[in-house]
Amino acid sequence: MSHFGVVTPAFHSHFQAFQALAVELLNRGHQVTFFQQADARRWLGDPRIGFHAMAASSHPPGSLDAVLQRAASSNNPLTLRRVIADMCATTNMLCNELPAALAYEQVDALLCDQMEAAGGLVAEALGLPYVSVACALPVNREPGLPLPVMPFAYGRDERSLRMYAGSQQVYDWLMRPLRDVLRGACRRLAIVPRDALHECLSPLAHISQTLAGFDFPRLQQPAHFHAVGPLRLPFSGTGQPSPGSETLEWQIDKNRPFVFASLGTLQGGRLGMFRQIAKACRRLDAQLLVAHCGRLDSVQERMLLDSGATWVTAFAPQQAVLEHADVVVTHGGLNTVMDAIATATPMLVMPIGFDQPGVAARVSYRDLGLKLNRRASAATIADGLARLLVLPREPLQRMAAELQRAGGASKAADIVEAAVRSGEPVLTQAVA
């Protein structure tokens, strides 16, 4: 049996995805340890998962909340530079401290988030096998496709291709601080220089939470790229009723539209957006459940109720709620979008930052919902919701069927085991 180390950014959604894969590996007799700053330990719910606290001096306990607050405002140009600086600081810390930590824990192989380059760099330097996991949209670049952080629609015309290429140049310019960190780390680790995240991926296997049918058409997919769908702890979205779905605490009137709104764990404090959504639902006489992930206080909850929300809560059993919802309003977080696909629920996507604009573009391209500007008025949101209430469900149902076949955490664990066992690239066809 192997001891796997996990290297992922300190974000709740990323920890949840890796935790699902970790539990699957633990159930097969392996050992799994996460490596991150101490504050991130709080997101691990299975006592069998190990945790090695890093960076006591540079990332001391209590420092993560400020980083997460800045990340929640990453769409603000004034904050973006600090968010990139935070990313650079974490990568630099991990590149410096991981070698000793991995040796201390006697790790045999690494599971590396695509959004954190340090895992792949250190694994290469130490000669450890590693697998890259895309919790968000894959960072794998391909000529003729927009980067995942870009909002562009899919097109093969000359104008679209120029726009994709130009936006990539702008992105690479903005990410120069990370490029400098990667070059410095490669020098210290005595490995081939790297400039960007997509150059730090595993030669053995790439695992993605997306679906092939959800992404834009790819013509140059790596032969060892595996789209396994969402990595979830059971229940994992099989299209069957989830535990407790028949006994939700909210008494939903089946004769009126039911809308679920969630902006994720980072963006749940956006009161202004929620108020516009609530006013839109009032216009349609629709029931609205808002889940703000603990980011609003009781006064703000009352404001949403006064604006038209039917129920407001910190957390809701998302998959169970989506089985009842006629529409979900989301920021475009990949976890929520995959959950909506699992239940064939139309989506109104209002992207805010990170890869959410790219997710929204794919939802629109695949006829799974609509995208709107995050500053959309109540009238515009109401119009979008009305259109989604009559949206044909066939594309969603087709995608839900693909998700059921994708394999999830179980297939991901198969790929990981095969990569570590053979030390050779695990080709997609070999585990289809």
Side-chain angles (χ1 to χ4, degrees):
M1 295 294 102
S2 299
H3 185 181
F4 292 97
V6 174
V7 182
T8 183
F11 291 120
H12 178 267
S13 60
H14 291 241
F15 261 63
Q16 291 305 105
F18 273 98
Q19 183 169 208
L21 177 54
V23 167
E24 183 67 30
L25 291 169
L26 287 165
N27 290 341
R28 299 181 183 200
H30 300 289
Q31 183 179 354
V32 182
T33 300
F34 279 61
F35 294 80
Q36 231 335 322
Q37 65 186 95
D39 288 341
R41 185 196 297 266
R42 67 197 188 207
W43 295 322
L44 295 177
D46 192 313
R48 296 176 298 167
I49 299 175
F51 186 87
H52 187 106
M54 311 282 289
S57 57
S58 62
H59 297 67
S63 63
L64 180 58
D65 286 344
V67 173
L68 296 177
Q69 186 61 44
R70 288 191 289 271
S73 303
S74 62
N75 60 296
N76 184 334
L78 298 177
T79 310
L80 179 59
R81 293 180 66 181
R82 186 60 190 274
V83 173
I84 295 173
D86 288 335
M87 182 180 184
C88 291
T90 299
T91 297
N92 193 55
M93 175 274 292
L94 289 170
C95 285
N96 288 335
E97 297 193 16
L98 268 176
L102 296 174
Y104 177 81
E105 297 287 354
Q106 299 183 343
V107 166
D108 304 310
L110 286 183
L111 306 175
C112 304
D113 197 310
Q114 283 196 350
M115 295 303 297
E116 178 46 73
L121 298 183
V122 172
E124 180 179 334
L126 299 180
L128 293 175
Y130 68 103
V131 171
S132 298
V133 180
C135 296
L137 287 181
V139 303
N140 303 69
R141 292 193 183 184
E142 182 174 318
L145 288 183
L147 297 181
V149 296
M150 298 300 172
F152 307 127
Y154 177 73
R156 304 297 298 182
D157 57 282
E158 185 177 344
R159 179 179 178 276
S160 294
L161 297 179
R162 286 200 308 268
M163 185 167 55
Y164 301 160
S167 66
Q168 181 173 301
Q169 291 178 337
V170 172
Y171 173 85
D172 287 339
W173 180 82
L174 287 170
M175 296 300 291
R176 286 179 303 169
L178 181 62
R179 178 202 64 188
D180 295 341
V181 167
L182 297 182
R183 289 181 178 179
C186 289
R187 284 194 301 270
R188 295 193 301 275
L189 294 168
I191 59 176
V192 175
R194 308 298 204 283
D195 286 345
L197 293 173
H198 70 284
E199 298 176 351
C200 305
L201 304 180
S202 171
L204 301 180
H206 302 173
I207 294 172
S208 171
Q209 285 204 103
T210 53
L211 305 168
F214 175 76
D215 203 354
F216 290 147
R218 287 185 175 267
L219 305 177
Q220 300 179 24
Q221 192 83 276
H224 53 293
F225 186 96
H226 305 267
V228 305
L231 303 175
R232 294 285 190 275
L233 294 166
F235 162 79
S236 58
T238 62
Q240 300 300 317
S242 58
S245 63
E246 300 303 320
T247 58
L248 293 178
E249 61 183 283
W250 305 282
Q251 298 302 311
I252 301 166
D253 182 352
K254 295 183 179 181
N255 296 315
R256 297 167 57 205
F258 172 46
V259 177
F260 175 54
S262 172
L263 302 179
T265 53
L266 280 181
Q267 308 293 349
R270 291 184 177 261
L271 179 63
M273 286 181 65
F274 279 132
R275 290 191 71 184
Q276 295 304 311
I277 296 166
K279 291 176 182 178
C281 288
R282 173 173 283 170
R283 286 171 176 252
L284 298 176
D285 191 31
Q287 303 163 98
L288 171 64
L289 170 61
V290 171
H292 56 76
C293 299
R295 306 282 291 184
L296 300 178
D297 58 32
S298 59
V299 174
Q300 293 168 318
E301 288 183 342
R302 172 51 58 186
M303 292 175 66
L304 291 181
L305 293 170
D306 292 341
S307 296
T310 314
W311 309 280
V312 181
T313 184
F315 296 96
Q318 180 162 283
Q319 291 167 323
V321 170
L322 286 170
E323 289 166 4
H324 294 268
D326 297 296
V327 178
V328 57
V329 183
T330 171
H331 60 312
L334 192 60
N335 284 334
T336 302
V337 168
M338 289 294 120
D339 285 347
I341 287 174
T343 55
T345 306
M347 291 166 268
L348 184 61
V349 186
M350 303 174 71
I352 298 170
F354 296 107
D355 66 332
Q356 296 154 23
V359 171
R362 286 157 176 79
V363 167
S364 180
Y365 177 74
R366 295 298 185 180
D367 296 323
L368 309 177
L370 302 172
K371 63 176 180 178
L372 285 181
N373 189 288
R374 67 179 185 276
R375 298 187 179 90
S377 67
T380 300
I381 296 171
D383 178 67
L385 291 174
R387 292 167 60 190
L388 290 173
L389 288 171
V390 295
L391 182 78
R393 297 296 181 98
E394 194 276 333
L396 274 161
Q397 292 165 348
R398 184 172 62 248
M399 199 68 65
E402 181 179 342
L403 187 150
Q404 291 181 41
R405 298 189 300 267
S410 177
K411 185 172 182 179
D414 291 342
I415 296 164
V416 168
E417 289 182 322
V420 173
R421 182 172 57 249
S422 70
E424 299 291 334
V426 181
L427 303 184
T428 306
Q429 297 87 341
V431 291

